[in-house]
Amino acid sequence: MFMGEYAHNIDKKGRIIIPAKFRDDLGENFVITKGMENCLYVYPEDEWNAFEDKLNALPTTKKDARMFVRMMTSKAAECEIDAQGRVLIPSPLVKLAELVKECMVIGAANHVEIWSRERWEPVDEEANDA
């Protein structure tokens, strides 16, 4: 299970450090895709495969289901961690999540989320007020 929150900067090339606690569970290859609330979701390969199974089970006759499948898969990219513990996030995903400098890498049970600090803080405050 992924848990905790970590502050890291993204560099100009789109690389960000993945916390050491997350690296082993993510494995050598993992998938980064668009998440909800304009963050990025990072799935270990086995979790991504289970998620794909759920996507494939959605009814293709429903427009919302088709749109959700497109949203999650069209932005998805297979990634890996380099020798310095960083992942290179594809530039369309960096732009989509508005990752500029300060970011938050958080554990979210079966996946990791990458947020711009500006977007994460109001979400975190709202959760703390609930």
Side-chain angles (χ1 to χ4, degrees), residues 8-25:
H8 289 286
N9 289 338
I10 190 166
D11 68 16
K12 291 181 182 184
K13 294 181 181 179
R15 297 174 301 193
I16 189 169
I17 292 174
I18 297 296
K21 288 187 171 205
F22 294 165
R23 290 182 208 152
D24 286 340
D25 290 334

Side-chain angles (χ1 to χ4, degrees), residues 102-123:
E102 294 181 349
C103 299
M104 297 300 296
V105 181
I106 66 163
N110 70 336
H111 66 281
V112 173
E113 295 180 357
I114 301 174
W115 291 79
S116 71
R117 181 182 283 279
E118 288 178 354
R119 286 189 172 166
W120 171 247
E121 287 177 347
V123 171

